[in-house]
Amino acid sequence: MTVRCTLQGDVEVIALDNPPLNSLGLDTRRELVAALEQAQADPDVAAIVLTGSGRAFSAGADLHEFGSPRAGQEPGLAGVIGTMERASKPVVAALHGLALGGGLELAMGCHYRIVAPGTRVALPEVKLGLLPGAGGTQRLPRAIGVGPALDLMVRGEQVAAEALVGIPEQKLFDQLARGADTVLDEAVALARSASRRHAAGAPLPRLRDLPCGHPQGDAYFQSARDAVRAANRNFPAPLQCVDAVESATREPFDVGLAHERERFVDLMRTPQSLALRHAFMAERSARKIPDVAPDTAQRTIAKVAVIGAGTMGGGIAMNFLNAGIPVVMLESSQQALDRGLATLRRNYEAQVGKGKLEPTRYAQRMALLTPTLGYADVADADLVIEAVFEDLGVKEQVFRQLDAVMKPGAILASNTSTLDLNTIAAFTRRPQDVVGMHFFSPANVMKLLEVVRGGGTGRDVLATVMAVGGRIGKICVVSGVCDGFIGNRMIEQYTRQAGFLIDEGCTPDQVDKAIEAFGFAMGPFRMGDLAGNDIGWAIRKRRAIEKPGVRFSKTADLLCAMGRFGQKTGAGWYDYAPGKRDAVPSRLVLDMIERHRAELGLTPRPIDDEEIVQRLVYALVNEAARILDEKIASRPSDIDMVYLAGYGFPLHRGGPLHYADGVGLSNVAKAMERFAQNPHDDAGFWQPAPLLRRLLAGHATFASLND
Ligand code: 3H9
C-alpha cells in the first residue's frame, strides 16, 4: 500500500506513504481515490487531511512511469485532483519538506492548505521539458497572481513556502504552521473548524473559482513571451507555460485545463523533454556502482589535504572550503604557496565583489584553510588530493611521500587527467586507498568529477569519494583506467576530426559555428584558444612516442610553432584584441592552413554543417562504444553525463549516446561507412565499434544497456 489512512476523531488523515518522496504513480493515484471515496462515504468522517509520510509531502508525478502505459492509465493525476476538489467534505493539505510539481498541484486541489516552515515548493516541470500538467498552470496564477506564478513555473526553482506566504493577498496557503512537528495537528484542527463552518452553510473554497487576470493584459504577456523566448532558446516548455497561463486569464477554468493537458502531452513527446528526463535519470544512475552496495561503509572525511597550489589545486581546495571542510594546502616553495593563496583569494574576492559571496562567509572559508610547506601537516588528513604537474616522475615523488606520512586509512587521490592510475597506485604500499579524482577546470565551477577506479581501489574508498563528491556539489561518474579516462579519451577523437575537417576545406570558424549551432557551448577551436593550445601540443608530442600510429592534422602543431597558444598569448586559431575575448578569424592562420593543404596535395572541398556535426559527434559515439565494451564506463548514461556535465554537450540533446539513439544507430553507422571512404580521414577509426555492430544486429539502442 502506498497510502495509509487513520481516523483522528472525526477527521480522516490520508497519508501518502510511497518512499522515498511520495511520487504519485498509478498505484498511489488509485489508492488515493479509493481512500477519498471511502472517507466521503463514512458518516463518522467530517473532514479529511492529506499529508505525506517521511521527508516530503510529495515530489510530484512518478518520473519512472513517464513513457510507460501506466502514466496514461486512469485515474490520472488531474482526475484525482478533480475528485478531491469536488469532495463534499473539507479536504486540508498539510505540507512539509517538499511539495513539487504534481505534489503541489495535488495540494492546490484541496480546499485548504497549511504549510510547515521551511517547506520547499516548486513547479519544476520545465526542468524536465514539460509544463505543469495537472492544473498547475490554471490554479497557481489564481492563488498567487499571474506574475509570481509564471515566474515560478518558468524558472522551475524551489522556493521556501515563507516567500509565497509573504505575497500580498495570496490564497495558496491558508496558514503557516508553527513547526514541522505540529503541522499535522494544526491541519486536523483546521479541518475540524472548516467542517463546522461548512456545516453552517459556508461553501468549500476552491482555487478554480477565483478570478485570474493581469492588470496589463496583452502587454504583460507580450513582454513575458519575449523574455522567456530569449532566455530559453532550445527549450519549448517555458514558452508553453506563458501560453497556458495566458489561457488561464482568458478562458473558463475547464477550457484552460484542457489546453494545459494538450500542451503537456505534446511536450512529453519532444526530443527536449526526452533529453532532460534522460539527463535527470542519468545523474542519479551515475551514483550507483554495479558492484558497490549502496550501504557500503564509508570512511569519515573531516579534513582534506591538497598537494599543489596551482590553478587546479586552488580550485579543488575551494570546493571543500565552500562545503565547510577544512583544507591543508601544500606546496614545495613559499613563493608557489603565496602565489596559489593569492589566486584563491582573488577568486573569492571577485565573488564578493559581484555580491555572490558574503564577506563573512569569505572570512569563514579562508579560516578553514591552512597553507603549509611540510608533509607532516597533511599526515592526519582523511583525504589527500594530489594536483601537481602532470608528469609521472613528479607524481611518483609525491605518492611515495604520501605513502610514508599519511595516517592509515587515509584516501590518496590523484587529479591526473592522462596518467595511468595503477602505476601511480604502485608507488604506494596501499593501492586499496588510491583513487583518481579528475576535476575539470575551473575546478571550483565545473560540475563534473570523474572518479577513477584503479585495479586495486577499495569499494569503501569508491563509495566514500562518490559521497564526498556529492557533498561538494559535483556530479560524479566512475571511470575505469585507460588513457584519458572517459571524457578526454573521447574528446581526442572529436578533436582529431576537427583537425581533419580543417585540412579538407573548413575554416576554424566554420567548424566552431556549426557545432555551436548544434548547441555546444563552444566549438573545438574557440575552446582550444581558451584552454591553451600548448596543452594538446604537449600531449601529442608524448603520444607521438607512445602511440606512433595515431594520426592528427598537423595544423594544430603548426599553430603552436607560430607561438599561437590561444587567448593567453593574444593569438591562437583566432586573433584577439588586447584585453578582449572576442575570437576574430585570423588571416595568418588561414594562410597557414592553405599552405598545409597544398603540401598535402589536398584540394579544399565545400563541407556542409551537417557533415561537420556528424563527424564530430559520431567520433564521440564510436569511441564511447569502445569504452563501454572495455567496461571503462558502467553504462551508456554515465558517458552522456560526462559529456553534459563536463564538456558542454547540449543538454537539450541529452548526451552523445542518447542523441545517437534518437538519430537511429543504423543512420549513424551509414554515416560512418561514408566517412570511412574519405581518403583523408582515419578509415580504421570509422569501422563501427564492435558494440555498435552488436546493437545494430540486435536492432537495439544504447538505452537498452542502461539500468
Ligand atoms: C510532474 O509532477 C508532472 C505533473 O505536473 C503532471 C502529471 C500529470 N518520481 O534526487 P534524489 C527519486 S513532473 C520518481 O537523489 P535529492 C530519485 O530518482 C515531476 N522518483 O534526492 C531518487 O531515487 P534513487 C515534478 C523520484 O534529495 C530518490 O527519489 N517533480 C521523483 O537530491 C531521491 O532523489 C520533479 O521534477 C519523482 N518525481 O533531491 C521533482 N523525485 O535513489 C524531481 C525523486 O532510486 N525530483 N525521485 O535514484 C527532484 O528534483 C529531486 O529528486 C528532489 C530530491 C529535489 C525531489
Side-chain angles (χ1 to χ4, degrees):
M1 291 297 275
T2 63
V3 168
R4 267 187 304 107
C5 298
T6 43
L7 196 60
Q8 292 199 16
D10 58 354
V11 176
E12 180 85 339
V13 176
I14 302 179
L16 300 167
D17 190 15
N18 187 21
L21 295 168
N22 297 326
S23 66
L24 301 163
L26 180 60
D27 293 342
T28 308
R29 299 195 302 268
R30 280 187 179 144
E31 291 169 33
L32 254 180
V33 170
L36 278 166
E37 282 170 354
Q38 195 180 327
Q40 279 273 93
D42 187 340
D44 293 337
V45 172
I48 300 159
V49 166
L50 180 63
T51 180
S53 312
R55 68 179 174 107
F57 175 73
S58 169
D62 185 349
L63 300 180
H64 299 284
E65 231 174 48
F66 283 3
S68 83
R70 289 173 69 84
Q73 278 185 46
E74 294 298 334
L77 188 55
V80 178
I81 293 170
T83 307
M84 232 162 44
E85 202 169 45
R86 284 189 300 275
S88 56
K89 299 175 182 176
V91 186
V92 179
L95 276 57
H96 76 286
L98 295 164
L100 308 180
L104 181 61
E105 291 175 299
L106 183 67
M108 287 194 287
C110 297
H111 303 119
Y112 301 91
R113 283 154 299 278
I114 174 165
V115 65
T119 305
R120 308 291 298 174
V121 175
L123 288 179
E125 285 84 348
V126 285
K127 290 185 182 287
L128 303 168
L130 302 169
L131 52 56
T137 66
Q138 306 300 299
R139 289 190 182 89
L140 193 63
R142 289 173 160 87
I144 62 172
V146 164
L150 189 54
D151 194 48
L152 209 70
M153 276 174 231
V154 164
R155 288 190 300 115
E157 300 292 348
Q158 294 178 16
V159 294
E162 287 87 335
L164 300 178
V165 171
I167 294 176
E169 295 176 38
Q170 63 84 23
K171 301 277 186 295
L172 183 60
F173 296 122
D174 300 277
Q175 207 173 307
L176 183 64
R178 286 190 300 281
D181 49 346
T182 59
V183 65
L184 187 55
D185 290 343
E186 291 180 66
V188 170
L190 178 65
R192 251 177 221 131
S193 64
S195 85
R196 280 195 298 273
R197 281 199 306 276
H198 184 50
L204 291 173
R206 305 185 306 174
L207 289 177
R208 59 175 286 148
D209 298 331
L210 296 175
C212 187
H214 192 280
Q216 285 153 13
D218 284 353
Y220 168 78
F221 284 104
Q222 196 47 51
S223 79
R225 210 166 262 124
D226 291 346
V228 167
R229 191 181 288 117
N232 299 280
R233 218 161 39 95
N234 295 316
F235 297 97
L239 213 51
Q240 295 275 338
C241 290
V242 182
D243 292 348
V245 172
E246 191 176 23
S247 297
T249 65
R250 296 199 192 293
E251 290 163 335
F253 182 84
D254 287 320
V255 177
L257 207 59
H259 283 166
E260 175 198 84
R261 183 76 205 154
E262 282 164 24
R263 292 187 171 102
F264 181 80
V265 171
D266 287 348
L267 284 170
M268 191 64 110
R269 296 195 199 105
T270 57
Q272 291 89 344
S273 176
L274 288 169
L276 287 168
R277 277 145 51 201
H278 169 69
F280 180 90
M281 294 299 176
E283 187 178 336
R284 280 147 189 87
S285 297
R287 294 178 199 153
K288 295 167 191 159
I289 312 171
D291 63 338
V292 178
D295 57 354
T296 300
Q298 293 176 17
R299 301 187 190 180
T300 303
I301 305 294
K303 180 177 174 185
V304 171
V306 178
I307 312 296
T311 314
M312 217 49 201
I316 292 171
M318 285 173 79
N319 282 301
F320 292 95
L321 299 174
N322 296 350
I325 302 171
V327 176
V328 184
M329 195 161 72
L330 181 143
E331 253 302 348
S332 53
S333 74
Q334 188 63 48
Q335 206 188 11
L337 194 56
D338 290 345
R339 212 175 26 239
L341 279 172
T343 311
L344 199 138
R345 280 206 190 92
R346 236 189 348 267
N347 283 341
Y348 274 137
E349 276 157 19
Q351 292 180 15
V352 173
K354 287 182 200 153
K356 291 184 177 166
L357 180 67
E358 294 280 316
T360 48
R361 288 197 170 235
Y362 167 37
Q364 281 163 4
R365 287 175 193 185
M366 288 310 289
L368 291 172
L369 180 66
T370 312
T372 184
L373 295 172
Y375 271 88
D377 292 328
V378 302
D380 67 341
D382 304 302
L383 164 67
V384 53
I385 304 171
E386 162 278 308
V388 300
F389 188 64
E390 192 75 341
D391 172 274
L392 201 59
V394 181
K395 306 267 185 203
E396 174 168 2
Q397 279 177 20
V398 170
F399 273 83
R400 288 205 188 282
Q401 281 273 9
L402 292 176
D403 192 29
V405 303
M406 295 307 294
K407 68 177 181 185
I411 296 178
L412 278 48
S414 171
N415 178 49
T416 184
S417 56
T418 50
L419 300 173
D420 183 337
L421 186 79
N422 292 329
T423 309
I424 294 175
F427 298 142
T428 74
R429 286 156 299 172
R430 34 175 132 178
Q432 74 282 359
D433 297 338
V434 178
V435 66
M437 289 179 79
H438 180 208
F439 288 85
F440 289 72
S441 189
N444 56 315
V445 177
M446 294 294 289
K447 292 291 275 180
L448 179 64
L449 177 63
E450 271 183 330
V451 174
V452 183
R453 178 178 195 171
T457 307
R459 288 189 169 85
D460 61 333
V461 168
L462 266 181
T464 306
V465 168
M466 294 295 280
V468 157
R471 267 168 80 190
I472 60 172
K474 299 295 176 196
I475 294 178
C476 301
V477 179
V478 175
S479 169
V481 176
C482 67
D483 194 353
F485 311 127
I486 297 173
N488 283 346
R489 174 168 159 184
M490 285 165 62
I491 209 73
E492 181 175 297
Q493 300 303 339
Y494 168 98
T495 311
R496 286 178 76 216
Q497 282 302 315
F500 294 152
L501 284 162
I502 296 287
D503 290 348
E504 292 168 34
C506 290
T507 64
D509 192 45
Q510 190 194 350
V511 174
D512 281 344
K513 285 207 172 110
I515 200 74
E516 285 162 10
F518 176 77
F520 265 86
M522 214 182 268
F525 298 107
R526 257 184 273 281
M527 180 54 97
D529 277 1
L530 180 69
N533 297 308
D534 50 327
I535 298 171
W537 198 25
I539 295 174
R540 282 191 302 281
K541 282 184 197 157
R542 184 162 63 79
R543 293 290 156 77
I545 305 165
E546 288 172 10
K547 279 208 241 166
V550 182
R551 189 165 57 86
F552 287 88
S553 163
K554 289 268 179 312
T555 49
D557 295 348
L558 294 170
L559 185 84
C560 289
M562 293 161 80
R564 299 181 69 104
F565 294 162
Q567 288 188 17
K568 62 185 168 189
T569 55
W573 291 103
Y574 298 91
D575 291 334
Y576 297 88
K580 291 267 172 20
R581 287 169 176 270
D582 306 307
V584 181
S586 162
R587 189 63 258 167
L588 278 177
V589 171
L590 296 178
D591 288 346
M592 175 273 282
I593 292 170
E594 276 165 26
R595 276 197 307 278
H596 179 60
R597 280 184 201 137
E599 276 165 26
L600 292 174
L602 278 175
T603 311
R605 67 179 172 92
I607 300 177
D608 61 17
D609 287 1
E610 188 184 12
E611 178 176 341
I612 296 172
V613 168
Q614 287 182 343
R615 283 174 63 179
L616 295 184
V617 175
Y618 298 169
L620 296 176
V621 172
N622 212 24
E623 193 62 26
R626 295 196 173 105
I627 285 174
L628 279 169
D629 240 359
E630 292 169 29
K631 306 217 177 315
I632 298 296
S634 309
R635 49 181 87 79
S637 65
D638 280 8
I639 293 180
D640 285 338
M641 212 56 241
V642 166
Y643 265 74
L644 292 172
Y647 290 81
F649 198 96
L651 180 59
H652 67 284
R653 304 208 188 259
L657 300 183
H658 176 84
Y659 176 73
D661 276 348
V663 170
L665 296 188
S666 59
N667 294 325
V668 173
K670 273 188 211 128
M672 287 183 183
E673 278 164 27
R674 246 189 359 263
F675 303 150
Q677 307 302 315
N678 174 354
H680 184 65
D681 207 329
D682 180 347
F685 174 77
W686 285 120
Q687 298 311 312
L691 172 66
L692 192 49
R693 267 191 263 128
R694 290 202 301 280
L695 290 176
L696 281 165
H699 304 287
T701 56
F702 282 111
S704 68
L705 306 176
N706 286 327
D707 38 26

Short mmCIF file of all heavy atoms in Angstrom, two decimals, residues 20-21 23 55 59-64 66 77 98 100-102 105 124-125 128 132-134 158 261 264 280 284 287-288, ligand 1:
data_model
loop_
_atom_site.label_atom_id
_atom_site.label_comp_id
_atom_site.label_asym_id
_atom_site.label_seq_id
_atom_site.Cartn_x
_atom_site.Cartn_y
_atom_site.Cartn_z
N PRO A 20 10.86 6.95 -1.83
CA PRO A 20 11.43 7.87 -0.85
C PRO A 20 10.71 9.21 -0.76
O PRO A 20 10.79 9.86 0.26
CB PRO A 20 12.86 8.08 -1.40
CG PRO A 20 12.75 7.85 -2.88
CD PRO A 20 11.67 6.83 -3.06
N LEU A 21 9.98 9.63 -1.82
CA LEU A 21 9.49 11.01 -1.81
C LEU A 21 8.01 11.14 -2.18
O LEU A 21 7.57 12.19 -2.65
CB LEU A 21 10.35 11.87 -2.76
CG LEU A 21 11.82 12.02 -2.32
CD1 LEU A 21 12.67 12.62 -3.43
CD2 LEU A 21 11.92 12.89 -1.07
N SER A 23 6.15 9.97 -4.63
CA SER A 23 5.76 10.29 -6.01
C SER A 23 4.40 9.66 -6.28
O SER A 23 3.98 8.72 -5.59
CB SER A 23 6.81 9.81 -6.99
OG SER A 23 6.87 8.41 -6.99
N ARG A 55 10.11 12.40 4.45
CA ARG A 55 10.71 13.73 4.39
C ARG A 55 10.03 14.69 3.41
O ARG A 55 10.50 15.81 3.21
CB ARG A 55 12.21 13.64 4.11
CG ARG A 55 12.62 13.14 2.75
CD ARG A 55 14.15 13.14 2.66
NE ARG A 55 14.65 12.55 1.45
CZ ARG A 55 15.19 13.24 0.45
NH1 ARG A 55 15.28 14.55 0.51
NH2 ARG A 55 15.64 12.61 -0.61
N ALA A 59 7.04 14.64 -4.18
CA ALA A 59 7.92 15.19 -5.24
C ALA A 59 7.23 15.16 -6.59
O ALA A 59 7.87 15.38 -7.62
CB ALA A 59 9.23 14.41 -5.29
N GLY A 60 5.92 14.88 -6.62
CA GLY A 60 5.18 15.01 -7.89
C GLY A 60 4.95 13.69 -8.59
O GLY A 60 5.06 12.61 -7.99
N ALA A 61 4.62 13.80 -9.88
CA ALA A 61 4.32 12.61 -10.67
C ALA A 61 5.52 11.66 -10.62
O ALA A 61 6.65 12.09 -10.43
CB ALA A 61 4.04 13.01 -12.12
N ASP A 62 5.25 10.36 -10.81
CA ASP A 62 6.33 9.37 -10.76
C ASP A 62 7.10 9.39 -12.08
O ASP A 62 6.59 8.96 -13.12
CB ASP A 62 5.73 7.98 -10.52
CG ASP A 62 6.81 6.93 -10.35
OD1 ASP A 62 8.00 7.24 -10.63
OD2 ASP A 62 6.48 5.81 -9.93
N LEU A 63 8.34 9.88 -12.01
CA LEU A 63 9.13 10.03 -13.24
C LEU A 63 9.46 8.69 -13.87
O LEU A 63 9.65 8.61 -15.08
CB LEU A 63 10.43 10.77 -12.92
CG LEU A 63 10.25 12.17 -12.34
CD1 LEU A 63 11.59 12.81 -12.06
CD2 LEU A 63 9.47 13.03 -13.32
N HIS A 64 9.50 7.64 -13.07
CA HIS A 64 9.82 6.32 -13.65
C HIS A 64 8.67 5.81 -14.51
O HIS A 64 8.86 4.92 -15.32
CB HIS A 64 10.13 5.31 -12.53
CG HIS A 64 11.31 5.72 -11.71
ND1 HIS A 64 12.60 5.59 -12.16
CD2 HIS A 64 11.39 6.29 -10.49
CE1 HIS A 64 13.43 6.06 -11.24
NE2 HIS A 64 12.73 6.50 -10.22
N PHE A 66 6.88 7.78 -16.55
CA PHE A 66 6.75 8.55 -17.79
C PHE A 66 7.19 7.68 -18.98
O PHE A 66 8.20 7.00 -18.92
CB PHE A 66 7.62 9.81 -17.75
CG PHE A 66 7.03 10.93 -16.92
CD1 PHE A 66 5.84 10.75 -16.24
CD2 PHE A 66 7.66 12.15 -16.83
CE1 PHE A 66 5.29 11.77 -15.47
CE2 PHE A 66 7.13 13.19 -16.08
CZ PHE A 66 5.94 12.99 -15.39
N LEU A 77 -3.56 12.07 -12.69
CA LEU A 77 -3.43 12.96 -11.53
C LEU A 77 -4.49 14.05 -11.55
O LEU A 77 -5.07 14.40 -10.51
CB LEU A 77 -2.02 13.57 -11.49
CG LEU A 77 -1.68 14.35 -10.24
CD1 LEU A 77 -1.88 13.52 -8.98
CD2 LEU A 77 -0.23 14.85 -10.30
N LEU A 98 8.98 18.79 1.01
CA LEU A 98 8.94 19.19 -0.40
C LEU A 98 7.52 19.06 -0.94
O LEU A 98 6.84 18.09 -0.64
CB LEU A 98 9.82 18.26 -1.24
CG LEU A 98 11.32 18.26 -1.00
CD1 LEU A 98 11.95 17.01 -1.62
CD2 LEU A 98 11.94 19.52 -1.59
N LEU A 100 6.42 19.41 -4.72
CA LEU A 100 6.94 19.73 -6.05
C LEU A 100 6.01 19.24 -7.15
O LEU A 100 5.42 18.15 -7.02
CB LEU A 100 8.31 19.08 -6.26
CG LEU A 100 9.37 19.31 -5.19
CD1 LEU A 100 10.66 18.57 -5.56
CD2 LEU A 100 9.65 20.79 -5.01
N GLY A 101 5.91 20.01 -8.21
CA GLY A 101 5.19 19.57 -9.39
C GLY A 101 3.79 19.09 -9.06
O GLY A 101 3.00 19.78 -8.40
N GLY A 102 3.50 17.84 -9.47
CA GLY A 102 2.19 17.25 -9.20
C GLY A 102 1.85 17.23 -7.72
O GLY A 102 0.67 17.23 -7.36
N GLU A 105 0.44 20.53 -7.15
CA GLU A 105 -0.85 20.57 -7.86
C GLU A 105 -1.92 19.82 -7.07
O GLU A 105 -3.07 20.26 -6.99
CB GLU A 105 -0.68 19.97 -9.26
CG GLU A 105 0.17 20.85 -10.16
CD GLU A 105 0.44 20.22 -11.51
OE1 GLU A 105 1.07 19.13 -11.53
OE2 GLU A 105 0.04 20.79 -12.53
N PRO A 124 8.56 22.35 -10.94
CA PRO A 124 9.84 22.20 -11.65
C PRO A 124 9.72 21.52 -13.01
O PRO A 124 10.73 21.11 -13.59
CB PRO A 124 10.64 21.32 -10.69
CG PRO A 124 9.61 20.45 -10.05
CD PRO A 124 8.33 21.24 -10.01
N GLU A 125 8.49 21.39 -13.53
CA GLU A 125 8.31 20.60 -14.75
C GLU A 125 9.18 21.07 -15.91
O GLU A 125 9.62 20.26 -16.72
CB GLU A 125 6.82 20.59 -15.15
CG GLU A 125 5.94 19.70 -14.28
CD GLU A 125 5.46 20.36 -13.00
OE1 GLU A 125 5.97 21.45 -12.64
OE2 GLU A 125 4.57 19.79 -12.33
N LEU A 128 12.21 19.31 -16.78
CA LEU A 128 12.05 18.03 -17.47
C LEU A 128 11.47 18.25 -18.86
O LEU A 128 10.99 17.33 -19.51
CB LEU A 128 11.12 17.11 -16.67
CG LEU A 128 11.55 16.84 -15.23
CD1 LEU A 128 10.44 16.17 -14.44
CD2 LEU A 128 12.81 15.97 -15.21
N PRO A 132 3.52 22.22 -15.99
CA PRO A 132 2.68 21.55 -15.00
C PRO A 132 1.43 21.03 -15.72
O PRO A 132 0.77 21.79 -16.43
CB PRO A 132 2.33 22.67 -14.01
CG PRO A 132 3.43 23.67 -14.18
CD PRO A 132 3.81 23.62 -15.63
N GLY A 133 1.13 19.74 -15.53
CA GLY A 133 0.07 19.14 -16.35
C GLY A 133 -1.12 18.68 -15.56
O GLY A 133 -1.97 17.96 -16.08
N ALA A 134 -1.20 19.05 -14.31
CA ALA A 134 -2.36 18.64 -13.51
C ALA A 134 -3.00 19.87 -12.87
O ALA A 134 -3.30 19.90 -11.68
CB ALA A 134 -1.96 17.60 -12.47
N GLN A 158 13.05 25.75 -6.74
CA GLN A 158 12.34 25.65 -5.46
C GLN A 158 12.39 26.98 -4.72
O GLN A 158 13.40 27.68 -4.77
CB GLN A 158 13.02 24.60 -4.58
CG GLN A 158 12.92 23.19 -5.12
CD GLN A 158 13.66 22.21 -4.24
OE1 GLN A 158 13.99 22.50 -3.09
NE2 GLN A 158 13.92 21.03 -4.77
N ARG A 261 -3.56 20.37 -20.68
CA ARG A 261 -3.38 18.92 -20.88
C ARG A 261 -2.79 18.64 -22.27
O ARG A 261 -1.84 17.87 -22.41
CB ARG A 261 -4.74 18.23 -20.72
CG ARG A 261 -4.72 16.75 -20.83
CD ARG A 261 -4.17 16.11 -19.58
NE ARG A 261 -3.61 14.81 -19.88
CZ ARG A 261 -2.65 14.22 -19.18
NH1 ARG A 261 -2.13 14.82 -18.12
NH2 ARG A 261 -2.20 13.04 -19.50
N PHE A 264 0.82 19.59 -22.36
CA PHE A 264 1.61 18.65 -21.57
C PHE A 264 1.90 17.39 -22.40
O PHE A 264 3.03 16.92 -22.48
CB PHE A 264 0.85 18.30 -20.28
CG PHE A 264 1.57 17.35 -19.37
CD1 PHE A 264 2.58 17.81 -18.53
CD2 PHE A 264 1.25 16.00 -19.35
CE1 PHE A 264 3.25 16.94 -17.67
CE2 PHE A 264 1.92 15.12 -18.50
CZ PHE A 264 2.92 15.60 -17.66
N PHE A 280 18.17 13.70 -16.12
CA PHE A 280 17.78 13.58 -14.71
C PHE A 280 18.08 12.17 -14.19
O PHE A 280 18.69 11.99 -13.14
CB PHE A 280 16.28 13.91 -14.56
CG PHE A 280 15.78 13.82 -13.15
CD1 PHE A 280 15.80 14.93 -12.31
CD2 PHE A 280 15.28 12.62 -12.64
CE1 PHE A 280 15.35 14.85 -11.00
CE2 PHE A 280 14.83 12.53 -11.33
CZ PHE A 280 14.86 13.65 -10.51
N ARG A 284 21.28 10.44 -11.56
CA ARG A 284 21.05 9.59 -10.40
C ARG A 284 21.64 8.19 -10.59
O ARG A 284 22.20 7.62 -9.67
CB ARG A 284 19.55 9.55 -10.09
CG ARG A 284 19.18 10.81 -9.33
CD ARG A 284 17.83 11.37 -9.56
NE ARG A 284 17.76 12.68 -8.91
CZ ARG A 284 18.13 13.82 -9.50
NH1 ARG A 284 18.59 13.81 -10.76
NH2 ARG A 284 18.07 14.97 -8.86
N ARG A 287 25.35 7.62 -9.73
CA ARG A 287 25.76 7.44 -8.33
C ARG A 287 25.84 5.96 -7.95
O ARG A 287 26.35 5.62 -6.89
CB ARG A 287 24.73 8.11 -7.40
CG ARG A 287 24.69 9.60 -7.56
CD ARG A 287 23.60 10.17 -6.63
NE ARG A 287 23.23 11.49 -7.05
CZ ARG A 287 22.05 12.05 -6.84
NH1 ARG A 287 21.11 11.37 -6.19
NH2 ARG A 287 21.79 13.25 -7.24
N LYS A 288 25.25 5.12 -8.79
CA LYS A 288 25.19 3.69 -8.43
C LYS A 288 26.31 2.93 -9.13
O LYS A 288 26.42 2.99 -10.35
CB LYS A 288 23.82 3.14 -8.81
CG LYS A 288 22.72 3.79 -8.00
CD LYS A 288 21.33 3.54 -8.53
CE LYS A 288 20.34 4.46 -7.82
NZ LYS A 288 19.10 4.66 -8.55
C1 3H9 B 1 5.11 16.27 -12.61
O1 3H9 B 1 4.80 16.28 -11.44
C2 3H9 B 1 4.11 16.37 -13.72
C3 3H9 B 1 2.79 16.94 -13.27
O2 3H9 B 1 2.79 18.34 -13.41
C4 3H9 B 1 1.69 16.45 -14.16
C5 3H9 B 1 1.43 15.00 -14.17
C6 3H9 B 1 0.22 14.62 -14.99
N1 3H9 B 1 9.38 10.35 -9.27
O3 3H9 B 1 17.21 13.37 -6.46
P1 3H9 B 1 17.40 12.46 -5.31
C7 3H9 B 1 13.65 9.59 -6.60
S1 3H9 B 1 6.68 16.08 -13.12
C8 3H9 B 1 10.05 9.22 -9.04
O4 3H9 B 1 18.55 11.54 -5.33
P2 3H9 B 1 17.65 14.76 -3.62
C9 3H9 B 1 15.00 9.72 -7.30
O5 3H9 B 1 15.00 9.10 -8.56
C10 3H9 B 1 7.58 15.77 -11.64
N2 3H9 B 1 11.18 9.17 -8.32
O6 3H9 B 1 17.38 13.23 -3.92
C11 3H9 B 1 15.89 9.04 -6.29
O7 3H9 B 1 15.76 7.66 -6.45
P3 3H9 B 1 17.02 6.70 -6.49
C12 3H9 B 1 7.84 17.03 -10.93
C13 3H9 B 1 11.63 10.32 -7.81
O8 3H9 B 1 17.36 14.97 -2.20
C14 3H9 B 1 15.26 9.41 -4.96
O9 3H9 B 1 13.93 9.81 -5.26
N3 3H9 B 1 8.79 16.73 -9.87
C15 3H9 B 1 10.97 11.54 -8.02
O10 3H9 B 1 18.97 15.16 -4.19
C16 3H9 B 1 15.94 10.55 -4.25
O11 3H9 B 1 16.07 11.63 -5.18
C17 3H9 B 1 10.09 16.85 -10.09
O12 3H9 B 1 10.54 17.21 -11.14
C18 3H9 B 1 9.78 11.53 -8.78
N4 3H9 B 1 9.09 12.65 -9.02
O13 3H9 B 1 16.59 15.57 -4.49
C19 3H9 B 1 10.97 16.52 -8.92
N5 3H9 B 1 11.67 12.53 -7.41
O14 3H9 B 1 17.65 6.86 -5.15
C20 3H9 B 1 12.12 15.68 -9.36
C21 3H9 B 1 12.72 11.93 -6.83
O15 3H9 B 1 16.45 5.35 -6.75
N6 3H9 B 1 12.98 15.34 -8.26
N7 3H9 B 1 12.69 10.61 -7.08
O16 3H9 B 1 17.88 7.20 -7.60
C22 3H9 B 1 13.97 16.16 -7.82
O17 3H9 B 1 14.16 17.25 -8.31
C23 3H9 B 1 14.84 15.64 -6.72
O18 3H9 B 1 14.77 14.25 -6.74
C24 3H9 B 1 14.42 16.16 -5.33
C25 3H9 B 1 15.24 15.42 -4.24
C26 3H9 B 1 14.70 17.66 -5.26
C27 3H9 B 1 12.96 15.89 -5.08
#
